[in-house]
Amino acid sequence: MLPAFALALVIGAFLSTGTAHAQSAAAEGQKLAFDRSKGNCLTCHVIKGGNLPGSIGPELIDIKSKYPNRADLVAIVHDETERNPLTVMPPFGRNRILTPKEIEAVVDFLQTL
């Protein structure tokens, strides 16, 4: 009985750690998205909780259902011109505005919207 209990504790700790990591990554992504000198998503998009949003891009809501494939959203943030050559969205990855880790954090945040 003790080994099963110990296993349950380990699994519970792992799931708790995974959730905490996802929350901290999303919080870091929000900071980047709202940072006028870094991600700067608010320049073009309305985002819940953001101040002084722009209106060039679509409102960022219900993102996880619009982009269920995380890789698609990462690709959009990395370089939307590959999907839409006429976009005005900056290629955050290609132009090294955001690092790959920062793009992942922004996507973590976007998936909470």
Side-chain angles (χ1 to χ4, degrees):
M1 186 78 165
L2 186 60
F5 178 72
L7 179 61
L9 286 175
V10 169
I11 290 172
F14 176 76
L15 292 175
S16 171
T17 301
T19 302
H21 172 72
Q23 289 173 343
S24 68
E28 180 61 27
Q30 181 179 18
K31 284 184 205 171
L32 289 164
F34 289 3
D35 184 339
R36 298 283 181 183
S37 66
K38 196 69 172 158
N40 205 14
C41 302
L42 284 170
T43 295
C44 298
H45 300 278
V46 172
I47 305 171
K48 182 180 178 181
N51 295 321
L52 303 171
S55 59
I56 295 169
E59 182 175 357
L60 298 181
I61 56 172
D62 202 25
I63 299 299
K64 199 162 190 171
S65 69
K66 290 177 184 173
Y67 300 99
N69 182 348
R70 180 184 175 85
D72 291 342
L73 194 52
V74 169
I76 288 168
V77 176
H78 181 268
D79 186 359
E80 173 63 351
T81 64
E82 291 181 8
R83 190 176 78 126
N84 176 7
L86 301 177
T87 187
V88 295
M89 184 167 166
F92 289 96
R94 184 183 55 153
N95 285 354
R96 297 187 182 129
I97 299 165
L98 297 174
T99 67
K101 184 178 177 181
E102 290 171 329
I103 290 172
E104 292 292 335
V106 168
V107 168
D108 286 336
F109 166 62
L110 293 175
Q111 289 188 316
T112 69
L113 301 176

